[in-house]
Amino acid sequence: MKLKVYEYKNCSTCRNALKFLEGKKVDFDKKAIRETPPTKAELKKMLGYLGGDSKKLFNTSGGDYKELGLKDKLSKMSLDEQFELLSGNGNLVKRPFVLGENFGLVGFKEEEWKAALKTK
């Protein structure tokens, strides 16, 4: 399975992550997260990689997150409601959002990425 990378072109963290992948010669498909957010199935799969902590799926520093008052509402929402929000609004998804064959990553921490991709 080719790596699937959801990213936003104006996000410096995403640019750093893509630069890292290109530097490691990793084959990946790039998806514009705002135009094509991850599907509910992909979000559910990622949740498994994140130990079931759905808050880690959210871009908590983003404007949409703050506008919707999700800081106070998230804990009262069902997973289905959260997936509905995330799959309908890519601005709410923590980025970059990366799915590989047997792993998932959100955000960019170089050491985590090296370990997941088994590179140096």
Side-chain angles (χ1 to χ4, degrees):
M1 172 184 170
K2 193 183 235 185
L3 208 60
K4 189 182 287 188
V5 180
Y6 287 90
E7 53 84 37
Y8 175 55
K9 65 180 178 179
N10 294 334
C11 167
S12 61
T13 304
C14 293
R15 286 194 302 268
N16 290 337
L18 294 176
K19 194 179 199 178
F20 170 84
L21 292 173
E22 289 162 356
K24 301 290 182 192
K25 305 212 182 320
V26 174
D27 195 20
F28 64 92
D29 282 329
K30 199 166 57 164
K31 302 257 186 212
I33 199 164
R34 294 173 90 181
E35 290 79 8
T36 54
T39 65
K40 290 176 187 175
E42 289 171 326
L43 292 161
K44 188 174 185 177
K45 187 174 184 179
M46 182 66 80
L47 185 62
Y49 296 130
L50 298 175
D53 185 354
S54 64
K55 187 174 181 187
K56 290 181 179 179
L57 294 170
F58 284 85
N59 175 13
T60 57
S61 60
D64 288 16
Y65 183 88
K66 292 173 184 169
E67 266 179 44
L68 292 170
L70 292 176
K71 179 183 175 199
D72 301 319
K73 295 178 184 173
L74 206 55
S75 63
K76 297 172 187 84
M77 294 174 72
S78 72
L79 276 178
D80 284 341
E81 290 171 319
Q82 291 178 38
F83 289 160
E84 187 69 34
L85 267 179
L86 291 163
S87 65
N89 182 345
N91 287 335
L92 291 173
V93 182
K94 176 104 172 145
R95 58 187 185 242
F97 181 100
V98 177
L99 283 172
E101 180 118 14
N102 298 306
F103 69 91
L105 300 162
V106 291
F108 177 62
K109 293 188 174 120
E110 191 169 327
E111 292 308 311
E112 286 178 15
W113 282 50
K114 282 180 183 175
L117 296 165
K118 296 171 180 63
T119 67
K120 295 183 179 181

